[in-house]
Amino acid sequence: MVLVPGWVWQGGPVRRALGAGPAAGVFFGLFVLVESGAWAAAVVVLLVLTPLHGVRVARRMSAVWPAGADLDPADRAAVVRATRSGGTVPDLRLAPDVLRYAEALRLTAERDRIRQWVMVLVAVVSLVLAGYDTVAGTARQALVSWLVVVLVALDLVWWPKRRDRLMARVERAEAAARAPERRDAPGG
């Protein structure tokens, strides 16, 4: 949920599923295509993973921030945009929603820290498999295995920094939402 951009939040559950699902379907479909060279397998992955991932993300988004469903789409998008950018919400009546969304992001980020340990294990396994595929597999298998190693390494290095920067902006948005009178002050 932390990676979901604000425009995905603007719509209802169907739009959220359509905003998140195709990216995963295309991404993993391409992986299957590169590894196997089989277009049929890539299309199956695309057709199966797109709705499954889309529905999962939409449900998770609704579960983590249920109060978002009570907002109209423009207000929901404004809350998400202000919170993720660390700014102020344009309408003061939305300040409590900024606080609720910020709390949802904080809980999600805390749960994500547990996932990081799993990713260390995945990194070790993917490195071993990439080495094996390089020695005993085909060139395609080795290529895909090393791509997985790179993606896992990016997840371990890039994602925590990105998450920490996002959470710093979320804290600024929370401070602004708790003290809306500062919004009108010079420099605030």
Side-chain angles (χ1 to χ4, degrees):
M1 185 189 96
V2 177
L3 285 177
V4 177
W7 64 267
V8 176
W9 282 100
Q10 193 163 358
V14 172
R15 183 172 174 182
R16 291 180 210 156
L18 291 173
V26 168
F27 182 78
F28 287 105
L30 287 173
F31 254 102
V32 168
L33 180 63
V34 169
E35 196 272 330
S36 69
W39 281 94
V43 169
V44 168
V45 167
L46 174 74
L47 293 175
V48 171
L49 193 59
T50 295
L52 289 177
H53 183 69
V55 168
R56 178 185 171 271
V57 168
R59 289 184 60 158
R60 186 171 182 212
M61 288 170 71
S62 295
V64 170
W65 187 37
D70 298 335
L71 298 171
D72 68 58
D75 287 345
R76 187 170 45 245
V79 167
V80 170
R81 214 174 10 261
T83 307
R84 294 173 80 78
S85 70
T88 57
V89 71
D91 187 346
L92 290 179
R93 70 179 171 78
L94 297 175
D97 295 299
V98 168
L99 296 174
R100 284 191 284 271
Y101 180 62
E103 183 60 25
L105 283 174
R106 182 172 290 100
L107 290 172
T108 303
E110 287 172 13
R111 289 180 196 144
D112 187 56
R113 291 185 196 281
I114 295 168
R115 183 190 69 85
Q116 207 165 356
W117 290 106
V118 173
M119 289 307 294
V120 170
L121 177 62
V122 170
V124 170
V125 170
S126 66
L127 192 58
V128 169
L129 290 175
Y132 176 79
D133 285 344
T134 300
V135 173
T138 66
R140 281 185 175 178
Q141 289 171 329
L143 173 66
V144 170
S145 292
W146 286 106
L147 284 173
V148 169
V149 169
V150 168
L151 290 173
V152 171
L154 284 172
D155 187 82
L156 288 171
V157 175
W158 171 81
W159 173 237
K161 291 177 186 175
R162 173 107 167 120
R163 180 194 57 226
D164 292 345
R165 284 195 305 264
L166 172 65
M167 295 315 296
R169 291 191 306 266
V170 167
E171 287 177 18
R172 287 195 308 269
E174 281 181 303
R178 284 192 177 102
E181 64 277 1
R182 287 190 212 163
R183 218 172 69 145
D184 298 326

mmCIF file of all heavy atoms in Angstrom, residues 60-89:
data_model
loop_
_atom_site.group_PDB
_atom_site.id
_atom_site.type_symbol
_atom_site.label_atom_id
_atom_site.label_comp_id
_atom_site.label_asym_id
_atom_site.label_seq_id
_atom_site.Cartn_x
_atom_site.Cartn_y
_atom_site.Cartn_z
ATOM 1 N N ARG A 60 -6.607 -4.895 0.128
ATOM 2 C CA ARG A 60 -5.672 -4.466 1.175
ATOM 3 C C ARG A 60 -5.776 -2.968 1.406
ATOM 4 O O ARG A 60 -5.741 -2.496 2.546
ATOM 5 C CB ARG A 60 -4.247 -4.844 0.776
ATOM 6 C CG ARG A 60 -3.257 -4.559 1.870
ATOM 7 C CD ARG A 60 -1.909 -5.136 1.560
ATOM 8 N NE ARG A 60 -1.024 -4.864 2.688
ATOM 9 C CZ ARG A 60 0.262 -4.668 2.573
ATOM 10 N NH1 ARG A 60 0.839 -4.756 1.406
ATOM 11 N NH2 ARG A 60 0.990 -4.408 3.629
ATOM 12 N N MET A 61 -5.913 -2.206 0.323
ATOM 13 C CA MET A 61 -6.051 -0.758 0.455
ATOM 14 C C MET A 61 -7.306 -0.417 1.256
ATOM 15 O O MET A 61 -7.272 0.451 2.135
ATOM 16 C CB MET A 61 -6.114 -0.105 -0.931
ATOM 17 C CG MET A 61 -4.787 -0.117 -1.667
ATOM 18 S SD MET A 61 -4.929 0.374 -3.394
ATOM 19 C CE MET A 61 -5.272 2.130 -3.210
ATOM 20 N N SER A 62 -8.404 -1.097 0.971
ATOM 21 C CA SER A 62 -9.653 -0.843 1.688
ATOM 22 C C SER A 62 -9.547 -1.249 3.153
ATOM 23 O O SER A 62 -10.097 -0.576 4.028
ATOM 24 C CB SER A 62 -10.801 -1.593 1.025
ATOM 25 O OG SER A 62 -11.022 -1.094 -0.269
ATOM 26 N N ALA A 63 -8.847 -2.337 3.420
ATOM 27 C CA ALA A 63 -8.722 -2.813 4.800
ATOM 28 C C ALA A 63 -7.821 -1.915 5.639
ATOM 29 O O ALA A 63 -8.081 -1.692 6.819
ATOM 30 C CB ALA A 63 -8.186 -4.243 4.811
ATOM 31 N N VAL A 64 -6.776 -1.393 5.035
ATOM 32 C CA VAL A 64 -5.816 -0.588 5.788
ATOM 33 C C VAL A 64 -6.359 0.804 6.090
ATOM 34 O O VAL A 64 -6.120 1.351 7.153
ATOM 35 C CB VAL A 64 -4.481 -0.507 5.014
ATOM 36 C CG1 VAL A 64 -3.551 0.503 5.619
ATOM 37 C CG2 VAL A 64 -3.826 -1.861 4.982
ATOM 38 N N TRP A 65 -7.103 1.374 5.150
ATOM 39 C CA TRP A 65 -7.665 2.710 5.348
ATOM 40 C C TRP A 65 -9.149 2.685 5.015
ATOM 41 O O TRP A 65 -9.596 3.227 4.015
ATOM 42 C CB TRP A 65 -6.927 3.726 4.476
ATOM 43 C CG TRP A 65 -7.303 5.150 4.699
ATOM 44 C CD1 TRP A 65 -7.621 5.761 5.878
ATOM 45 C CD2 TRP A 65 -7.416 6.159 3.694
ATOM 46 N NE1 TRP A 65 -7.909 7.085 5.673
ATOM 47 C CE2 TRP A 65 -7.783 7.351 4.337
ATOM 48 C CE3 TRP A 65 -7.225 6.174 2.322
ATOM 49 C CZ2 TRP A 65 -7.983 8.537 3.647
ATOM 50 C CZ3 TRP A 65 -7.414 7.352 1.636
ATOM 51 C CH2 TRP A 65 -7.790 8.531 2.299
ATOM 52 N N PRO A 66 -9.961 2.058 5.871
ATOM 53 C CA PRO A 66 -11.395 1.944 5.578
ATOM 54 C C PRO A 66 -12.100 3.296 5.529
ATOM 55 O O PRO A 66 -13.091 3.463 4.814
ATOM 56 C CB PRO A 66 -11.938 1.060 6.698
ATOM 57 C CG PRO A 66 -10.910 1.076 7.767
ATOM 58 C CD PRO A 66 -9.608 1.403 7.119
ATOM 59 N N ALA A 67 -11.597 4.277 6.260
ATOM 60 C CA ALA A 67 -12.226 5.601 6.263
ATOM 61 C C ALA A 67 -12.132 6.269 4.895
ATOM 62 O O ALA A 67 -12.913 7.169 4.585
ATOM 63 C CB ALA A 67 -11.587 6.490 7.322
ATOM 64 N N GLY A 68 -11.203 5.837 4.060
ATOM 65 C CA GLY A 68 -11.079 6.398 2.723
ATOM 66 C C GLY A 68 -12.315 6.168 1.877
ATOM 67 O O GLY A 68 -12.628 6.968 0.988
ATOM 68 N N ALA A 69 -13.044 5.102 2.151
ATOM 69 C CA ALA A 69 -14.264 4.803 1.393
ATOM 70 C C ALA A 69 -15.358 5.837 1.660
ATOM 71 O O ALA A 69 -16.252 6.019 0.824
ATOM 72 C CB ALA A 69 -14.770 3.410 1.738
ATOM 73 N N ASP A 70 -15.292 6.519 2.796
ATOM 74 C CA ASP A 70 -16.304 7.515 3.142
ATOM 75 C C ASP A 70 -16.090 8.853 2.436
ATOM 76 O O ASP A 70 -16.966 9.706 2.453
ATOM 77 C CB ASP A 70 -16.313 7.749 4.659
ATOM 78 C CG ASP A 70 -16.663 6.489 5.431
ATOM 79 O OD1 ASP A 70 -17.335 5.601 4.858
ATOM 80 O OD2 ASP A 70 -16.262 6.383 6.594
ATOM 81 N N LEU A 71 -14.919 9.029 1.835
ATOM 82 C CA LEU A 71 -14.605 10.286 1.161
ATOM 83 C C LEU A 71 -14.991 10.213 -0.314
ATOM 84 O O LEU A 71 -14.937 9.142 -0.914
ATOM 85 C CB LEU A 71 -13.109 10.579 1.259
ATOM 86 C CG LEU A 71 -12.541 10.764 2.658
ATOM 87 C CD1 LEU A 71 -11.021 10.817 2.608
ATOM 88 C CD2 LEU A 71 -13.104 12.020 3.289
ATOM 89 N N ASP A 72 -15.336 11.366 -0.871
ATOM 90 C CA ASP A 72 -15.570 11.354 -2.319
ATOM 91 C C ASP A 72 -14.205 11.247 -3.003
ATOM 92 O O ASP A 72 -13.169 11.522 -2.408
ATOM 93 C CB ASP A 72 -16.376 12.566 -2.777
ATOM 94 C CG ASP A 72 -15.632 13.880 -2.652
ATOM 95 O OD1 ASP A 72 -14.551 14.000 -3.256
ATOM 96 O OD2 ASP A 72 -16.143 14.788 -1.964
ATOM 97 N N PRO A 73 -14.181 10.801 -4.264
ATOM 98 C CA PRO A 73 -12.898 10.531 -4.927
ATOM 99 C C PRO A 73 -11.920 11.708 -4.920
ATOM 100 O O PRO A 73 -10.727 11.511 -4.686
ATOM 101 C CB PRO A 73 -13.308 10.170 -6.354
ATOM 102 C CG PRO A 73 -14.685 9.620 -6.216
ATOM 103 C CD PRO A 73 -15.309 10.400 -5.096
ATOM 104 N N ALA A 74 -12.389 12.907 -5.150
ATOM 105 C CA ALA A 74 -11.482 14.061 -5.183
ATOM 106 C C ALA A 74 -10.880 14.322 -3.797
ATOM 107 O O ALA A 74 -9.686 14.622 -3.680
ATOM 108 C CB ALA A 74 -12.217 15.295 -5.685
ATOM 109 N N ASP A 75 -11.691 14.210 -2.750
ATOM 110 C CA ASP A 75 -11.180 14.412 -1.394
ATOM 111 C C ASP A 75 -10.181 13.321 -1.015
ATOM 112 O O ASP A 75 -9.149 13.594 -0.409
ATOM 113 C CB ASP A 75 -12.323 14.442 -0.380
ATOM 114 C CG ASP A 75 -13.138 15.718 -0.451
ATOM 115 O OD1 ASP A 75 -12.674 16.692 -1.076
ATOM 116 O OD2 ASP A 75 -14.249 15.732 0.125
ATOM 117 N N ARG A 76 -10.504 12.067 -1.369
ATOM 118 C CA ARG A 76 -9.598 10.957 -1.072
ATOM 119 C C ARG A 76 -8.248 11.185 -1.755
ATOM 120 O O ARG A 76 -7.200 11.021 -1.152
ATOM 121 C CB ARG A 76 -10.234 9.640 -1.527
ATOM 122 C CG ARG A 76 -9.475 8.423 -1.127
ATOM 123 C CD ARG A 76 -10.236 7.124 -1.374
ATOM 124 N NE ARG A 76 -10.875 7.058 -2.666
ATOM 125 C CZ ARG A 76 -12.200 7.002 -2.857
ATOM 126 N NH1 ARG A 76 -13.018 6.994 -1.825
ATOM 127 N NH2 ARG A 76 -12.698 6.942 -4.074
ATOM 128 N N ALA A 77 -8.276 11.590 -3.012
ATOM 129 C CA ALA A 77 -7.032 11.854 -3.742
ATOM 130 C C ALA A 77 -6.276 13.026 -3.121
ATOM 131 O O ALA A 77 -5.045 12.995 -3.024
ATOM 132 C CB ALA A 77 -7.323 12.121 -5.206
ATOM 133 N N ALA A 78 -6.999 14.057 -2.673
ATOM 134 C CA ALA A 78 -6.346 15.216 -2.050
ATOM 135 C C ALA A 78 -5.664 14.818 -0.741
ATOM 136 O O ALA A 78 -4.543 15.264 -0.455
ATOM 137 C CB ALA A 78 -7.365 16.326 -1.802
ATOM 138 N N VAL A 79 -6.319 13.972 0.041
ATOM 139 C CA VAL A 79 -5.736 13.507 1.303
ATOM 140 C C VAL A 79 -4.472 12.702 1.030
ATOM 141 O O VAL A 79 -3.426 12.905 1.656
ATOM 142 C CB VAL A 79 -6.766 12.674 2.099
ATOM 143 C CG1 VAL A 79 -6.097 11.922 3.242
ATOM 144 C CG2 VAL A 79 -7.878 13.562 2.625
ATOM 145 N N VAL A 80 -4.548 11.799 0.073
ATOM 146 C CA VAL A 80 -3.394 10.964 -0.255
ATOM 147 C C VAL A 80 -2.251 11.824 -0.778
ATOM 148 O O VAL A 80 -1.099 11.674 -0.355
ATOM 149 C CB VAL A 80 -3.786 9.874 -1.275
ATOM 150 C CG1 VAL A 80 -2.557 9.155 -1.811
ATOM 151 C CG2 VAL A 80 -4.754 8.884 -0.644
ATOM 152 N N ARG A 81 -2.561 12.739 -1.678
ATOM 153 C CA ARG A 81 -1.536 13.601 -2.257
ATOM 154 C C ARG A 81 -0.854 14.438 -1.180
ATOM 155 O O ARG A 81 0.379 14.519 -1.115
ATOM 156 C CB ARG A 81 -2.181 14.499 -3.316
ATOM 157 C CG ARG A 81 -1.320 14.824 -4.475
ATOM 158 C CD ARG A 81 -2.004 15.586 -5.600
ATOM 159 N NE ARG A 81 -3.330 16.120 -5.398
ATOM 160 C CZ ARG A 81 -4.454 15.527 -5.815
ATOM 161 N NH1 ARG A 81 -4.417 14.376 -6.437
ATOM 162 N NH2 ARG A 81 -5.620 16.094 -5.598
ATOM 163 N N ALA A 82 -1.642 15.078 -0.315
ATOM 164 C CA ALA A 82 -1.069 15.923 0.735
ATOM 165 C C ALA A 82 -0.236 15.104 1.711
ATOM 166 O O ALA A 82 0.857 15.528 2.108
ATOM 167 C CB ALA A 82 -2.193 16.654 1.482
ATOM 168 N N THR A 83 -0.729 13.940 2.086
ATOM 169 C CA THR A 83 -0.017 13.119 3.063
ATOM 170 C C THR A 83 1.294 12.595 2.495
ATOM 171 O O THR A 83 2.334 12.654 3.138
ATOM 172 C CB THR A 83 -0.902 11.949 3.526
ATOM 173 O OG1 THR A 83 -2.158 12.464 3.968
ATOM 174 C CG2 THR A 83 -0.249 11.188 4.660
ATOM 175 N N ARG A 84 1.251 12.102 1.269
ATOM 176 C CA ARG A 84 2.454 11.525 0.659
ATOM 177 C C ARG A 84 3.489 12.581 0.287
ATOM 178 O O ARG A 84 4.672 12.298 0.228
ATOM 179 C CB ARG A 84 2.076 10.694 -0.556
ATOM 180 C CG ARG A 84 1.262 9.462 -0.189
ATOM 181 C CD ARG A 84 0.761 8.738 -1.410
ATOM 182 N NE ARG A 84 1.759 7.902 -2.021
ATOM 183 C CZ ARG A 84 2.136 6.713 -1.576
ATOM 184 N NH1 ARG A 84 1.588 6.230 -0.483
ATOM 185 N NH2 ARG A 84 3.039 6.009 -2.206
ATOM 186 N N SER A 85 3.040 13.804 0.042
ATOM 187 C CA SER A 85 3.991 14.864 -0.328
ATOM 188 C C SER A 85 4.514 15.617 0.893
ATOM 189 O O SER A 85 5.462 16.394 0.779
ATOM 190 C CB SER A 85 3.323 15.853 -1.288
ATOM 191 O OG SER A 85 2.337 16.604 -0.608
ATOM 192 N N GLY A 86 3.871 15.416 2.044
ATOM 193 C CA GLY A 86 4.290 16.120 3.249
ATOM 194 C C GLY A 86 3.731 17.516 3.337
ATOM 195 O O GLY A 86 4.198 18.330 4.121
ATOM 196 N N GLY A 87 2.702 17.784 2.536
ATOM 197 C CA GLY A 87 2.116 19.117 2.505
ATOM 198 C C GLY A 87 0.871 19.229 3.343
ATOM 199 O O GLY A 87 0.576 18.386 4.189
ATOM 200 N N THR A 88 0.163 20.304 3.082
ATOM 201 C CA THR A 88 -1.093 20.533 3.780
ATOM 202 C C THR A 88 -2.235 20.172 2.851
ATOM 203 O O THR A 88 -2.145 20.316 1.641
ATOM 204 C CB THR A 88 -1.230 22.002 4.207
ATOM 205 O OG1 THR A 88 -1.126 22.822 3.045
ATOM 206 C CG2 THR A 88 -0.164 22.383 5.205
ATOM 207 N N VAL A 89 -3.300 19.728 3.450
ATOM 208 C CA VAL A 89 -4.492 19.399 2.683
ATOM 209 C C VAL A 89 -5.209 20.709 2.352
ATOM 210 O O VAL A 89 -5.257 21.622 3.182
ATOM 211 C CB VAL A 89 -5.371 18.397 3.468
ATOM 212 C CG1 VAL A 89 -6.021 19.029 4.657
ATOM 213 C CG2 VAL A 89 -6.367 17.721 2.581
#
